[in-house]
Amino acid sequence: AQKITQTQPGMFVQEKEAVTLDCTYDTSDPSYGLFWYKQPSSGEMIFLIYQGSYDQQNATEGRYSLNFQKARKSANLVISASQLGDSAMYFCAMREVNTGANSKLTFGKGITLSVRP
Amino acid sequence: DTGVSQNPRHKITKRGQNVTFRCDPISEHNRLYWYRQTLGQGPEFLTYFQNEAQLEKSRLLSDRFSAERPKGSFSTLEIQRTEQGDSAMYLCASSLDQGHKNTEAFFGQGTRLTVV
Protein backbone atom coordinates (compact mmCIF):
# COMPACT_ATOMS: atom_id res chain seq x y z
CA ALA A 1 0.00 0.00 0.00
CA GLN A 2 1.21 3.48 -0.77
CA LYS A 3 2.21 5.41 2.30
CA ILE A 4 1.37 8.82 0.84
CA THR A 5 -1.45 9.31 -1.65
CA GLN A 6 -1.98 12.44 -3.69
CA THR A 7 -4.62 11.73 -6.32
CA GLN A 8 -5.78 15.14 -7.48
CA PRO A 9 -5.09 15.92 -11.12
CA GLY A 10 -3.60 19.28 -11.94
CA MET A 11 -5.25 21.97 -9.86
CA PHE A 12 -6.16 25.47 -11.01
CA VAL A 13 -6.98 28.42 -8.79
CA GLN A 14 -7.71 32.06 -9.42
CA GLU A 15 -5.22 34.53 -8.02
CA LYS A 16 -6.16 35.70 -4.50
CA GLU A 17 -8.44 32.74 -3.89
CA ALA A 18 -7.79 29.85 -1.50
CA VAL A 19 -7.01 26.30 -2.62
CA THR A 20 -6.83 22.95 -0.84
CA LEU A 21 -4.38 20.25 -1.89
CA ASP A 22 -5.27 16.77 -0.64
CA CYS A 23 -3.01 14.24 1.00
CA THR A 24 -3.83 10.95 2.71
CA TYR A 25 -1.29 8.73 4.42
CA ASP A 26 -0.96 5.24 5.77
CA THR A 27 1.10 4.24 8.79
CA SER A 28 0.88 2.04 11.84
CA ASP A 29 3.51 4.09 13.65
CA PRO A 30 1.85 6.23 16.35
CA SER A 31 4.60 8.83 16.08
CA TYR A 32 5.13 10.46 12.72
CA GLY A 33 5.54 13.79 11.04
CA LEU A 34 3.86 15.15 7.95
CA PHE A 35 5.50 17.68 5.67
CA TRP A 36 4.57 19.68 2.63
CA TYR A 37 7.16 20.80 0.09
CA LYS A 38 6.87 23.04 -2.95
CA GLN A 39 8.91 22.34 -6.07
CA PRO A 40 8.96 25.13 -8.65
CA SER A 41 10.27 24.56 -12.15
CA SER A 42 13.81 25.33 -10.95
CA GLY A 43 13.76 21.94 -9.19
CA GLU A 44 14.55 22.86 -5.60
CA MET A 45 12.30 21.37 -2.91
CA ILE A 46 11.14 24.14 -0.60
CA PHE A 47 9.84 23.24 2.87
CA LEU A 48 6.45 24.79 3.60
CA ILE A 49 4.90 23.34 6.74
CA TYR A 50 5.15 20.52 9.28
CA GLN A 51 2.56 18.69 11.42
CA GLY A 52 3.45 16.23 14.15
CA SER A 53 1.14 13.32 14.89
CA TYR A 54 0.79 14.41 18.51
CA ASP A 55 0.27 18.08 17.79
CA GLN A 56 -3.11 19.24 19.07
CA GLN A 57 -3.34 22.29 16.85
CA ASN A 58 -3.31 22.40 13.07
CA ALA A 59 -0.04 23.85 11.83
CA THR A 60 0.03 27.27 10.20
CA GLU A 61 2.85 29.13 8.46
CA GLY A 62 1.85 32.43 6.93
CA ARG A 63 -0.52 31.72 4.03
CA TYR A 64 -0.12 27.96 4.50
CA SER A 65 -2.17 25.89 6.89
CA LEU A 66 -2.50 22.18 7.33
CA ASN A 67 -5.92 20.62 7.85
CA PHE A 68 -4.90 17.59 9.91
CA GLN A 69 -7.59 14.95 10.43
CA LYS A 70 -5.83 12.14 12.25
CA ALA A 71 -8.72 9.66 12.32
CA ARG A 72 -9.14 10.00 8.58
CA LYS A 73 -5.36 9.99 8.04
CA SER A 74 -5.47 13.11 5.95
CA ALA A 75 -3.19 16.14 5.96
CA ASN A 76 -4.49 18.60 3.42
CA LEU A 77 -2.59 21.78 2.62
CA VAL A 78 -4.59 25.00 2.40
CA ILE A 79 -3.05 27.96 0.60
CA SER A 80 -4.88 31.19 1.20
CA ALA A 81 -4.78 34.26 -1.06
CA SER A 82 -3.02 32.45 -3.92
CA GLN A 83 -0.26 34.26 -5.75
CA LEU A 84 1.15 33.70 -9.23
CA GLY A 85 4.39 32.53 -7.62
CA ASP A 86 2.52 29.65 -5.99
CA SER A 87 2.38 27.85 -9.33
CA ALA A 88 4.49 24.73 -8.76
CA MET A 89 4.41 21.04 -7.84
CA TYR A 90 3.42 20.34 -4.26
CA PHE A 91 4.51 17.22 -2.43
CA CYS A 92 3.19 15.71 0.76
CA ALA A 93 5.69 13.62 2.72
CA MET A 94 5.83 11.58 5.92
CA ARG A 95 8.54 10.58 8.33
CA GLU A 96 7.78 7.65 10.66
CA VAL A 97 9.64 7.99 13.94
CA ASN A 98 9.37 4.70 15.80
CA THR A 99 10.23 2.33 12.99
CA GLY A 100 13.85 2.92 13.80
CA ALA A 101 14.12 5.19 10.84
CA ASN A 102 13.84 8.70 12.19
CA SER A 103 15.29 9.51 8.91
CA LYS A 104 13.85 9.27 5.46
CA LEU A 105 10.90 11.13 4.09
CA THR A 106 8.42 9.17 2.00
CA PHE A 107 6.88 11.39 -0.68
CA GLY A 108 3.65 11.28 -2.62
CA LYS A 109 3.55 11.73 -6.38
CA GLY A 110 2.76 15.40 -6.09
CA ILE A 111 0.10 17.78 -7.34
CA THR A 112 0.59 20.49 -9.96
CA LEU A 113 -0.93 23.81 -8.98
CA SER A 114 -1.46 26.56 -11.54
CA VAL A 115 -2.53 30.01 -10.40
CA ARG A 116 -4.48 32.01 -12.97
CA PRO A 117 -4.22 35.84 -13.06
CA ASP B 1 25.30 30.91 0.73
CA THR B 2 24.07 28.87 3.69
CA GLY B 3 21.82 26.44 1.83
CA VAL B 4 22.46 22.95 0.50
CA SER B 5 24.69 23.07 -2.56
CA GLN B 6 24.90 20.40 -5.27
CA ASN B 7 27.34 20.12 -8.13
CA PRO B 8 27.09 19.81 -11.02
CA ARG B 9 23.59 21.05 -11.74
CA HIS B 10 23.41 19.11 -14.99
CA LYS B 11 25.35 16.11 -16.26
CA ILE B 12 25.08 14.37 -19.61
CA THR B 13 27.00 11.14 -19.91
CA LYS B 14 27.26 8.19 -22.25
CA ARG B 15 25.92 4.84 -21.17
CA GLY B 16 28.57 2.84 -19.40
CA GLN B 17 30.49 5.83 -18.04
CA ASN B 18 30.92 6.57 -14.36
CA VAL B 19 29.62 9.80 -12.84
CA THR B 20 30.09 11.44 -9.45
CA PHE B 21 27.93 14.10 -7.82
CA ARG B 22 28.78 16.25 -4.83
CA CYS B 23 26.59 17.64 -2.09
CA ASP B 24 27.58 20.26 0.49
CA PRO B 25 24.98 20.32 3.29
CA ILE B 26 24.14 23.15 5.65
CA SER B 27 27.21 23.32 7.85
CA GLU B 28 25.75 22.45 11.25
CA HIS B 29 23.51 19.66 9.93
CA ASN B 30 24.55 16.17 10.96
CA ARG B 31 22.18 14.25 8.66
CA LEU B 32 22.53 14.07 4.91
CA TYR B 33 20.15 12.33 2.51
CA TRP B 34 20.18 11.37 -1.14
CA TYR B 35 16.97 11.04 -3.14
CA ARG B 36 16.23 10.29 -6.78
CA GLN B 37 13.33 11.86 -8.64
CA THR B 38 12.10 10.80 -12.05
CA LEU B 39 9.72 12.82 -14.20
CA GLY B 40 6.23 13.07 -12.77
CA GLN B 41 7.12 11.31 -9.53
CA GLY B 42 7.98 12.33 -6.02
CA PRO B 43 11.52 11.92 -4.70
CA GLU B 44 12.50 8.38 -3.72
CA PHE B 45 14.86 7.77 -0.84
CA LEU B 46 18.27 6.32 -1.69
CA THR B 47 20.43 6.60 1.43
CA TYR B 48 21.27 8.74 4.42
CA PHE B 49 24.20 9.54 6.68
CA GLN B 50 24.41 10.53 10.30
CA ASN B 51 27.72 12.37 10.40
CA GLU B 52 30.08 10.06 8.47
CA ALA B 53 28.12 6.85 9.09
CA GLN B 54 25.84 5.56 6.35
CA LEU B 55 22.85 4.33 8.37
CA GLU B 56 20.32 3.27 5.79
CA LYS B 57 20.32 2.28 2.14
CA SER B 58 17.29 1.76 -0.07
CA ARG B 59 16.90 -1.29 -2.25
CA LEU B 60 16.94 1.22 -5.10
CA LEU B 61 20.64 1.66 -4.43
CA SER B 62 22.09 -1.11 -6.58
CA ASP B 63 25.71 -2.16 -6.32
CA ARG B 64 26.54 0.32 -9.09
CA PHE B 65 25.74 3.15 -6.68
CA SER B 66 27.99 4.19 -3.84
CA ALA B 67 27.76 7.13 -1.49
CA GLU B 68 30.31 8.49 0.92
CA ARG B 69 30.55 11.21 3.51
CA PRO B 70 34.15 10.80 4.62
CA LYS B 71 34.46 13.59 7.17
CA GLY B 72 30.84 14.05 8.05
CA SER B 73 30.61 17.16 5.93
CA PHE B 74 30.17 16.97 2.14
CA SER B 75 28.99 13.79 0.43
CA THR B 76 29.53 12.20 -2.96
CA LEU B 77 27.25 9.88 -4.88
CA GLU B 78 28.91 7.79 -7.58
CA ILE B 79 27.14 5.78 -10.25
CA GLN B 80 29.29 3.25 -12.08
CA ARG B 81 28.50 1.88 -15.55
CA THR B 82 25.56 4.23 -16.01
CA GLU B 83 22.40 2.98 -17.69
CA GLN B 84 19.65 4.94 -19.39
CA GLY B 85 17.36 4.10 -16.49
CA ASP B 86 19.64 6.12 -14.21
CA SER B 87 18.49 9.33 -15.91
CA ALA B 88 16.82 11.34 -13.16
CA MET B 89 17.19 14.28 -10.83
CA TYR B 90 19.40 13.43 -7.85
CA LEU B 91 18.49 15.48 -4.82
CA CYS B 92 20.52 15.97 -1.69
CA ALA B 93 19.04 17.15 1.60
CA SER B 94 20.32 17.82 5.09
CA SER B 95 18.78 18.16 8.52
CA LEU B 96 19.76 18.57 12.14
CA ASP B 97 18.97 15.50 14.20
CA GLN B 98 17.42 16.47 17.51
CA GLY B 99 16.53 13.05 18.86
CA HIS B 100 12.90 12.22 18.32
CA LYS B 101 11.93 15.73 17.37
CA ASN B 102 10.96 15.87 13.74
CA THR B 103 12.95 18.44 11.88
CA GLU B 104 12.54 19.48 8.31
CA ALA B 105 15.05 18.52 5.67
CA PHE B 106 16.45 21.26 3.46
CA PHE B 107 17.04 20.32 -0.13
CA GLY B 108 19.57 21.39 -2.72
CA GLN B 109 18.63 22.24 -6.28
CA GLY B 110 19.57 18.80 -7.49
CA THR B 111 21.77 17.32 -10.19
CA ARG B 112 19.94 16.36 -13.34
CA LEU B 113 21.56 13.33 -14.94
CA THR B 114 20.91 12.37 -18.55
CA VAL B 115 22.38 9.11 -19.81
CA VAL B 116 22.53 8.88 -23.59
Side-chain angles (χ1 to χ4, degrees):
Chain A
Q2 287 190 6
K3 287 191 177 278
I4 297 288
T5 302
Q6 296 180 264
T7 57
Q8 288 167 305
M11 293 286 289
F12 293 87
V13 65
Q14 204 67 31
E15 194 178 7
K16 299 181 184 177
E17 292 186 349
V19 62
T20 298
L21 306 181
D22 295 341
C23 172
T24 58
Y25 60 91
D26 181 30
T27 181
S28 57
D29 193 330
S31 181
Y32 53 90
L34 296 158
F35 302 76
W36 277 91
Y37 283 84
K38 171 184 177 182
Q39 188 176 42
S41 56
S42 60
E44 184 179 0
M45 298 286 283
I46 302 167
F47 167 74
L48 296 179
I49 196 167
Y50 161 78
Q51 179 84 43
S53 59
Y54 293 119
D55 292 344
Q56 296 297 312
Q57 305 279 345
N58 284 345
T60 60
E61 288 284 350
R63 294 186 299 109
Y64 305 107
S65 61
L66 204 150
N67 183 2
F68 181 45
Q69 297 187 43
K70 194 170 181 177
R72 299 177 67 176
K73 293 189 174 179
S74 73
N76 299 339
L77 176 71
V78 181
I79 305 174
S80 63
S82 297
Q83 302 171 356
L84 296 177
D86 294 335
S87 295
M89 282 285 287
Y90 288 80
F91 291 94
C92 179
M94 177 173 63
R95 176 183 288 136
E96 296 161 292
V97 175
N98 290 329
T99 57
N102 182 12
S103 54
K104 65 180 183 233
L105 290 167
T106 301
F107 286 85
K109 292 188 175 183
I111 302 167
T112 301
L113 176 66
S114 300
V115 181
R116 292 172 167 151
Chain B
D1 186 5
T2 56
V4 178
S5 176
Q6 290 188 248
N7 288 288
R9 292 289 310 280
H10 303 273
K11 178 72 177 178
I12 300 174
T13 190
K14 290 183 178 178
R15 190 173 49 186
Q17 298 292 307
N18 298 345
V19 294
T20 300
F21 311 140
R22 177 177 170 126
C23 172
D24 288 272
I26 294 171
S27 59
E28 63 268 26
H29 285 183
N30 53 2
R31 290 198 169 190
L32 186 148
Y33 313 79
W34 285 100
Y35 289 83
R36 182 174 69 186
Q37 185 179 22
T38 52
L39 205 60
Q41 301 294 318
E44 296 173 294
F45 172 77
L46 292 178
T47 187
Y48 95 95
F49 293 83
Q50 173 106 357
N51 299 311
E52 65 275 9
Q54 189 173 17
L55 295 188
E56 188 176 349
K57 292 166 64 172
S58 162
R59 280 176 244 169
L60 291 175
L61 215 65
S62 76
D63 56 6
R64 296 185 297 106
F65 288 70
S66 62
E68 294 183 346
R69 194 184 183 196
K71 297 182 180 178
S73 55
F74 74 91
S75 175
T76 57
L77 177 68
E78 182 184 15
I79 309 174
Q80 295 181 326
R81 305 180 303 281
T82 51
E83 301 172 356
Q84 286 187 319
D86 297 332
S87 296
M89 174 80 88
Y90 289 84
L91 293 164
C92 175
S94 70
S95 69
L96 179 63
D97 174 37
Q98 294 182 313
H100 282 285
K101 181 181 176 182
N102 265 299
T103 57
E104 67 268 30
F106 293 88
F107 283 79
Q109 289 187 298
T111 295
R112 183 170 296 282
L113 173 68
T114 303
V115 182
V116 297

